[in-house]
Amino acid sequence: MSIHARLHSQALGALALLLGGLWTAALWADVPKAAGIASQNKQATAAGFAVLEQGGNAFDAAVAVSAALGVVEPESSGLGGGGFFLLHRASDGKTVFIDAREAAPLAATRDMYLDAAGNPDRSRSVNGGLAAGIPGLPAGMVLVAERYGKLPLKQSLAPAIRLAREGFVWSAKNSAMIGFRAEQLSKSPAAAKLFLRSGKPPAVGDTLRNPDIARVLERLAEQGHQGFYAGVTAKTLVKGVRAAGGIWTEADLSRYQAVEREPLRFEYRGQQILTAPPPSSGGVALVELFQILSGYPLADFDRVARKHVEIEAMRRVYRDRAIYLGDPDFVQMPLDMLLSPYYAAGLRASIHTGKATPSKALPGISATQEGNDTSHFSIIDADGNVAAVTQSVNLPFGAAIVAPGTGFVLNNEMDDFSVKPGVPNAFGLIGEDANAIEPGKRPLSSMTPTILLGDERVAAIGSPGGSRIITMVFQGLSMILDGSSAADAVAAPRIHHQYQPDSVSSEPGALSAEEIAALTARGFTLTPSERPWGNLQIVVWDKRDGSVQAASDPRWKEVSGGESRDRGMIYR
Ligand code: DON
């Protein structure tokens, strides 16, 4: 090639590179090409899109989905419960965590669930009026709408009100969950009237109308916070709870406020992650997990070696959860220590990479079971606003009571307190003083709504699942960080360890027979589960091409009022 030709070709090459660069830059989108919502129920997902279509942002849509879930999945969450909203606003980059967790009533006492012999009476911390904390979700929805939404609260609550008035279809998930609680629900006349037909659960496919909750939502829509925490709704709730053995007063409701808190923020492999601060334990645990594991060359590990260090990290962070964490307005927590990379390095140094550490060998406390409900949804709108929201009534149908005239079950979130040091709660979780009951205090939660703000991908993630929420979010987010699609991350089988009981649970397909044998040889106790768990909801916005993915956990295929593709949807 002549010198001329070579120069010419180099110039062309440079031009092509430059143009290629410009072309790529042009492809990198400032905003998503679509909005995405992933929730557990297609009627709730549709409620969110209805509000986006009317000009609402992701936060208005979060209010719509939250309220709709309370109507169509009363077993999981609703006006009688609480939740956490993690929001990221695109216009100024502000991120905020809204703590709408239930609070203990003022008449609550540390030993209120202990019997004469000093043993916990579980039936009182999970059933009836005494089990219910003061609801937070209505206050959270009002705060989100007023401070971060674009539309009036009334407009965002309209789809839920319509579902309640016109009726919603009773799904196989509603039906499966009521199976656990029908007997208890039958003891509350208002709950039985709402959810049972001659003492039996409704048939799948039946239409349920709920004019009582429609009226409560309308008062909330008209009057905002006061429409729930004062006046008719407050009086009706106090009367109903006290009639069911509870200790609420109107002062409990009038003093309740949702609280704005700073999200926990950390960097993992150069990516910004935002997650839930106390009174959730989830974010602290997630930071610790990622920081412990960041010291290992995970990409070079085989599957057994990787699982080994993951399980050991899980064991250590659930121990910290049990010892240190509680409501930040009541307890001093060594968060600087727990969140420090040096502390993580110390924990890492205590891990033997060839042999399991028995939980009882770790300094700490000694001490199980499962439950099932709560609801997570994730939203990204076409402006790049992000919402990750987890909300709950704790066990299916909460405390299984409805105050007459209100149309919603009350939570049994009081069971998330440590009712006695070292005694496991419904999720097998143990705790100490930091999570002891005090008047007005919020029980420690595992709900872990989380947002990834990466250079290339933005994502929102979360799940129900009690104590397993944290390890599910960790495993799902690890896959997203490794480049997986949202659909693959929600579908992958998962493992779990929570310090006590000292055993590794695994979903079907999570560990091969060889892996089970190898981990057993390393000293782990394995208890493979025959049933899958969790309900992960992920949205991802890929900034490189503007594409959006929304994926709802396929484990609930066909039972959640829609195939996963109807629950996790994008809209252009
Ligand atoms: O806040 C918590 O950690 C629990 N109340 C969540 C309960 C839950 O996820 C039940 N679902 N499976």
Side-chain angles (χ1 to χ4, degrees):
M1 200 192 284
S2 75
I3 180 106
H4 256 106
R6 200 155 53 224
L7 277 178
H8 183 67
S9 109
Q10 277 174 359
L12 271 182
L15 188 66
L17 265 180
L18 181 71
L19 285 177
L22 288 175
W23 178 238
T24 321
L27 272 182
W28 273 60
D30 289 342
V31 290
K33 282 186 187 155
I37 301 181
S39 93
Q40 298 182 189
N41 187 289
K42 75 171 180 186
Q43 299 162 102
T45 298
F49 281 123
V51 161
L52 289 179
E53 271 175 60
Q54 292 163 28
N57 61 18
F59 315 132
D60 298 302
V63 173
V65 176
S66 175
L69 282 169
V71 174
V72 302
E73 291 201 352
E75 68 273 16
S76 297
S77 65
L79 297 180
F84 297 138
F85 297 75
L86 180 61
L87 312 178
H88 169 72
R89 187 164 61 195
S91 59
D92 59 357
K94 175 173 174 151
T95 53
V96 64
F97 178 79
I98 289 143
D99 166 4
R101 181 73 163 162
E102 298 88 336
L106 291 170
T109 56
R110 184 185 170 99
D111 297 335
M112 64 192 276
Y113 300 115
L114 302 187
D115 63 17
N119 296 316
D121 177 358
R122 241 322 57 88
S123 68
R124 287 189 293 142
S125 65
V126 299
N127 296 323
L130 208 55
I134 306 305
L137 198 69
M141 292 194 297
V142 173
L143 190 157
V144 171
E146 286 177 352
R147 296 196 198 157
Y148 300 98
K150 278 163 68 181
L151 300 179
L153 177 63
K154 208 172 176 163
Q155 213 168 332
S156 303
L157 293 181
I161 296 173
R162 200 172 316 115
L163 283 164
R165 279 216 187 284
E166 293 171 12
F168 64 95
V169 181
W170 190 253
S171 72
K173 174 172 178 279
N174 298 135
S175 174
M177 291 301 162
I178 208 166
F180 294 112
R181 300 293 272 158
E183 194 192 328
Q184 198 59 40
L185 287 164
S186 71
K187 297 180 188 164
S188 162
K193 187 163 154 243
L194 191 55
F195 298 120
L196 301 175
R197 305 281 171 268
S198 319
K200 296 264 175 313
V204 174
D206 278 2
T207 297
L208 260 79
R209 289 188 182 79
N210 188 343
D212 285 347
I213 202 175
R215 272 188 294 274
V216 171
L217 283 165
E218 278 160 0
R219 278 198 287 274
L220 191 65
E222 296 291 338
Q223 302 163 33
H225 185 96
Q226 294 297 94
F228 188 92
Y229 292 92
V232 187
T233 305
K235 283 192 180 14
T236 315
L237 281 170
V238 170
K239 195 166 158 225
V241 169
R242 294 187 79 92
I247 52 176
W248 292 14
T249 65
E250 285 179 44
D252 283 311
L253 288 157
S254 66
R255 71 192 290 278
Y256 186 87
Q257 293 292 334
V259 183
E260 287 201 15
R261 302 189 190 276
E262 266 301 304
L264 292 185
R265 194 182 294 268
F266 69 107
E267 228 178 70
Y268 180 71
R269 294 200 226 138
Q271 321 254 1
Q272 274 279 325
I273 297 170
L274 301 160
T275 186
S280 172
S281 59
V284 173
L286 200 66
V287 174
E288 286 192 55
L289 282 170
F290 276 111
Q291 292 196 148
I292 295 170
L293 293 166
S294 68
Y296 294 108
L298 291 181
D300 302 336
F301 279 12
D302 65 22
R303 277 178 56 90
V304 169
R306 181 168 177 153
K307 290 277 177 291
H308 182 122
V309 291
E310 285 177 356
I311 296 163
E312 289 301 338
M314 290 174 186
R315 180 199 312 283
R316 283 159 178 78
V317 310
Y318 277 84
R319 170 186 165 276
D320 285 349
R321 179 196 195 280
I323 296 174
Y324 297 115
L325 301 181
D327 180 346
D329 294 340
F330 284 75
V331 289
Q332 290 278 353
M333 290 171 277
L335 291 185
D336 286 348
M337 172 188 93
L338 295 173
L339 300 173
S340 134
Y342 302 107
Y343 178 71
L347 291 180
R348 195 183 314 121
S350 75
I351 295 175
H352 187 310
T353 52
K355 211 167 82 203
T357 316
S359 289
K360 62 178 180 332
L362 295 174
I365 53 179
S366 52
T368 266
Q369 246 178 15
E370 279 158 49
N372 229 322
D373 242 71
T374 294
S375 206
H376 177 87
F377 59 91
S378 296
I379 304 181
I380 289 184
D381 71 15
D383 291 324
N385 296 308
V386 191
V389 182
T390 316
Q391 55 186 48
S392 184
V393 287
N394 199 26
L395 300 182
F397 291 91
I401 51 163
V402 171
T406 60
F408 55 88
V409 293
L410 294 165
N411 69 85
N412 57 1
E413 222 74 69
M414 291 295 285
D415 190 65
D416 275 351
F417 279 116
S418 172
V419 306
K420 186 176 178 182
V423 175
N425 75 358
F427 298 101
L429 289 167
I430 51 176
E432 291 199 319
D433 283 355
N435 191 30
I437 303 172
E438 288 180 63
K441 191 175 174 185
R442 300 180 184 204
L444 187 62
S445 173
S446 302
M447 296 187 290
T448 316
T450 297
I451 293 175
L452 163 70
L453 297 178
D455 292 337
E456 295 179 346
R457 300 212 294 174
V458 167
I461 179 171
S463 181
S467 56
R468 292 180 170 145
I469 294 173
I470 302 168
T471 53
M472 281 189 265
V473 169
F474 164 69
Q475 288 164 94
L477 184 56
S478 297
M479 286 186 68
I480 295 291
L481 287 164
D482 285 342
S484 285
S485 69
D488 286 348
V490 296
R494 317 183 254 252
I495 61 165
H496 176 73
H497 192 292
Q498 62 179 50
Y499 171 56
Q500 298 287 1
D502 188 354
S503 71
V504 184
S505 42
S506 55
E507 285 190 299
L511 299 172
S512 66
E514 295 75 40
E515 286 162 359
I516 290 177
L519 289 167
T520 306
R522 287 161 176 245
F524 291 102
T525 303
L526 285 104
T527 46
S529 164
E530 277 167 22
R531 299 204 339 211
W533 65 72
N535 204 337
L536 213 55
Q537 310 292 327
I538 302 182
V539 291
V540 174
W541 159 30
D542 193 327
K543 290 164 121 178
R544 290 166 297 190
D545 61 4
S547 64
V548 172
Q549 303 166 21
S552 180
D553 203 314
R555 285 162 183 74
W556 291 93
K557 204 168 144 210
E558 288 159 18
V559 299
S560 269
E563 290 278 352
S564 46
R565 66 169 176 274
D566 298 328
R567 291 181 271 127
M569 287 182 68
I570 62 166
Y571 184 85
R572 279 169 221 281

